[in-house]
Structure formats: C-alpha cells, structure tokens
Amino acid sequence: MEHNIDLSGYSIRTDLAVEAHELAQQQNESNIPGIWLQADDEEPNIKVTRLHVENEEAGRAIGKLPGRYLTIEVPKLRDNDTSIEEQVTRRFALEFASFLMKLGITEEKKALVVGLGNWNVTPDALGPMVVENLLVTRHLYQLAPDTVGDGYREVSALSPGVLGITGIETSEIVFGVVEKSKPDFVICIDALASRALHRVNTTIQISDTGIHPGSGVGNKRKAIDQNTLGIPVIAIGVPTVVFASTIVNDAITYLLGHFGQSMAESKRAFNKLSMSTLPERKEPYTEDDLPDLESRKTFMGLVGSLPEEEKRQLIHEVLRPLGQDLVVTPKEVDDFIEGISNVIATGLNRALHRAVDAENSASYTH
C-alpha cells in the first residue's frame, strides 16, 4: 500500500486563462467575483474571448495572475486553408494593435521580441520560428536612420534558446539584452499546454502578465515580466501539447458521462414498461430487473462518484507504468507550427509597423 503519493503532476494542466476559468466555474458552479469575461464570435470561423482578472483573489480562484487575457480560437486553422490563415492574421494584427493601445504603448515605442523555446523540438519551436519571419529594424535605426521611412518602429528580436542548450537562465539572457538595448516593451512568444486537443495549434493567447519559460511542458523557470524587467511584457502563446494525464482525465469523465446517460435511458425504459407485459411474481419489480443494469450500477458505484483526489489517484495508477510526464502533440505538428508561426509573425509585422499591410506583408516573411 502506497502512502503520501505526490499527485500534483496528475492534476488537469492548462496554460490558457479561458480554460482555467472554465474549470473554476465547473467547480464553483457560479460566477467568480473579480473576473470580467466577454466573448465575441460575430466573425465567421473566429471566436475572441477577453478575460480580465481584476485582483489577486480572483487570480487565485482560477490559478492565473491578475491582468488581461485575450484568446483567439480558430478551429478551422488546422485545415491549412490560406484564406482562413489570412483572416486570422488580419484579426490577430487588429487585436494586438488594440492591446498595445490599451497598455498605452504608442507607435514610437521600441520593441524587443523574444522567441522562447527549443528550436530542436518541433512543438517547442514556435518562438524561434516566429522570430525568423519578423521585420527587425533596430540595426537600421542605429546604422542608417535616414533610410527608414515613416510607418516603421524600432524592433529587435532574440531567440535565447533554453537552459539545457545554453546553461543560462533565459530570464538572465533577456534581462541582459534589455539592460543594454533599452527597449520600451518586450513581447515574449512561447509554446503552451492546453487541456483540450481541439485547442492545440488553433488558439492564440495574448496577455500582459509576462511568461514563465518552459511553462508549456511544466518546467517553470524564473518569470519574465514587468517586475523582473521593469518594462511592460506582453506574452503570446499557442498551445502545442497536452499532457497524458489530461487525456486520461477527460477519457474517464466522458466514460462516466456515457454510463450515466445509459443508466438514465435504462431507467426511462423501465418506467415505460407495462406491468401487464411482465411475468407474474410475488416480489415487486425494480430497476435491478432490467438487463445489464446491475453491471452498470457496479461500475458506477466503483468509479461513478469519485471525488477529484480519488480520480487523480486512479490516473496515477493508470500512468505509473508509463511515467507521468508524457506530453502529447498531433502528428502533423510540423505543418501546424509552420502555419501558426507565419500567422503570428505576419500579424506582429502589421501590428508593430503601420507601413506593413495586407498587400506588402508577404514581402517580409518566407
């Protein structure tokens, strides 16, 4: 008999604020004070959710830092449809430009874009791939300012790698670059983890709360945020993986739901039975007389009413032979990463440089 088992690794993991809010609402079954949420699905194929965590108490309720979170969900983004990608790019550029305005970041403010992640691991290569397609101009402002036309801002970019490659904390590298280059704000791009497969590579989250490098696979490092850098830090994240524990948890939940629905249908069928059609006997008929109902009740008795802690214990038993830190990504992740990184890079180019628009943005990406 095992005791004092650490089940923290088997809880539902998500980096998306909208998912954290959904989970918290399911547990509380009521609105959470201090959370402001607005959903916009008027544009075809795109759903935009704006979530504002107003204070620390509300943040603790959903496990997120106080701040603004904007989520763009596009289920059809996986179809590799260029028209959908252009639509998402346009909406992302508009939403990101509006996000900058709400933070008081004007056109003349200098930007540093940091592409977090390991370029050797495809699901984690989002940040470096976005940086490859960015329009960077800082060197032009430094060396040939007369050649820079109107409608551009000073932008620099960096892909610092990960601790396992460099041996240096990513936050230390970013802090050093910020100290020397003196940007007015930082944009960090990183891969995240979702609790739902349908959101993988189809969702973009923008927030003003900074970022923890490696958070997508549970390796939280020192934060990169306004407290550590002294300037605004905007995080852009795309979920590229889900945890095996999340998939098992959902499978158990769906299975219980299926059995629960099946039992309800059996009860309704029993209630519709006419007593005249049943064989006569001394004992009254009950629901247990229905075929196969007893086996269902046995199953539901064992698993059906599990509290959250016992459900996590069951997940532990299922995953222990395989290891708890299994991370799952779709097999088409290479195509997805290339597509979503181009969407984000093109959108950033349009949002950061007024001179870049739908007609000429393709000239700056590859």
Side-chain angles (χ1 to χ4, degrees), residues 249-308:
N249 182 84
D250 287 347
I252 292 173
T253 301
Y254 294 147
L255 187 62
L256 294 178
H258 171 74
F259 272 86
Q261 182 179 3
S262 181
M263 285 185 64
E265 292 174 353
S266 296
K267 290 179 181 179
R268 286 194 295 269
F270 176 80
N271 292 332
K272 291 181 180 179
L273 286 176
S274 172
M275 297 299 295
S276 61
T277 64
L278 298 174
E280 292 185 3
R281 69 180 189 182
K282 294 182 179 180
E283 299 82 6
Y285 284 97
T286 67
E287 293 174 354
D288 293 336
D289 295 308
L290 284 175
D292 198 37
L293 183 59
E294 186 62 38
S295 62
R296 293 173 187 162
K297 291 183 69 175
T298 300
F299 176 83
M300 295 296 287
L302 292 173
V303 186
S305 58
L306 285 180
E308 186 62 31

Side-chain angles (χ1 to χ4, degrees), residues 41 66 75 95 108 111 189 281 300:
D41 55 1
E95 295 291 348
E108 72 277 2
I189 304 163
R281 69 180 189 182
M300 295 296 287

